[in-house]
């Protein structure tokens, strides 16, 4: 089933800004994944730590910024032509217009350059493969928030496109194995999502 963009005005009324995610915890509205994680860490000190202490939080912040600035930009170009079909038909015109303005080209032209952007994305994952060749999770012996930061990138790709970004990455066996472990966590929570739409049609999809 297609995903509908959130009600922007409702989000703005709740949090004073237009972006998701947002949560309301004990009467306080918090937005942005990193801010939410920090709020939960600070508000529930007796719960298992997301970061493993102050040093872990600092290291996770670096990974969060690296993910946003280095990994996600090429991945957005890799996924865009497929991702539009995951959206409600009423949202596709906005998605196309905003992404084509951002990319400086059409979604179709961006898709034609997918191999180049996919190579850039995979180059950015080299540190992950090296790390995971020495330990099962990015945080070490067990997953922590730093793993979920990076997994969110791969989950975005899994949900947003039928084309596996690691399908031809023979030199990323440890990364593929880590991704499978992350999907299987919490009773296979990573696989509980709507499948990629088989039918691709609707206004401004141009497919």
């Amino acid at each position: 089933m297609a995903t509908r963009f959130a009600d922007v005005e409702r989000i703005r009324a709740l949090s004073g800004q237009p972006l998701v995610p947002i949560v309301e915890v004990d009467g306080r509205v918090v937005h942005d994944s990193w801010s939410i994680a920090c709020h939960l860490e600070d508000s529930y000190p007796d719960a298992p730590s997301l970061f493993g202490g102050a040093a872990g939080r600092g290291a996770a912040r670096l990974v969060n910024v690296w993910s946003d600035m280095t990994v996600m930009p090429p991945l957005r170009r890799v996924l865009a032509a497929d991702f539009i079909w995951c959206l409600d038909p009423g949202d596709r015109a906005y998605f196309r217009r905003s992404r084509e303005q951002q990319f400086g080209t059409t979604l179709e032209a961006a898709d034609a350059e997918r191999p180049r952007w996919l190579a850039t994305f995979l180059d950015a994952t080299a540190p992950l493969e090296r790390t995971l060749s020495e330990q099962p999770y990015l945080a070490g012996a067990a997953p922590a928030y730093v793993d979920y930061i990076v997994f969110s990138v791969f989950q975005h790709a899994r949900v947003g496109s039928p084309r596996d970004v690691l399908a031809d990455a023979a030199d990323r066996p440890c990364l593929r194995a880590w991704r499978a472990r992350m999907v299987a966590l919490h009773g296979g929570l990573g696989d509980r999502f709507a499948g990629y739409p088989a039918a691709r049609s609707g206004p401004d999809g141009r497919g």
Side-chain angles (χ1 to χ4, degrees), residues 166-190:
L166 297 179
D168 298 322
D171 59 344
R172 297 290 187 271
C174 299
L175 183 57
R176 288 201 302 272
W178 167 85
R179 183 181 62 175
R181 288 193 294 273
M182 295 297 294
V183 170
L185 290 174
H186 311 295
L189 183 61

Side-chain angles (χ1 to χ4, degrees), residues 63-75:
V63 173
N64 192 85
V65 172
W66 168 78
S67 176
D68 286 345
M69 296 182 66
T70 303
V71 182
M72 280 303 299
L75 184 63

Side-chain angles (χ1 to χ4, degrees), residues 44-120:
Y44 302 98
D46 295 330
S49 174
L50 296 172
F51 303 115
R57 184 188 299 215
R61 184 55 174 156
L62 169 63
V63 173
N64 192 85
V65 172
W66 168 78
S67 176
D68 286 345
M69 296 182 66
T70 303
V71 182
M72 280 303 299
L75 184 63
R76 289 189 185 99
R77 291 177 177 264
V78 168
L79 300 180
D82 290 333
F83 193 79
I84 193 170
W85 298 106
C86 299
L87 304 177
D88 184 274
D91 289 324
R92 291 174 187 162
Y94 166 78
F95 180 87
R96 175 177 287 277
R97 183 173 65 253
S98 62
R99 295 312 184 271
E100 290 183 346
Q101 182 178 20
Q102 180 184 10
F103 298 160
T105 188
T106 65
L107 295 187
E108 290 74 19
D111 196 49
E113 295 186 344
R114 185 178 186 273
R116 176 167 70 92
W117 290 109
L118 180 59
T120 300

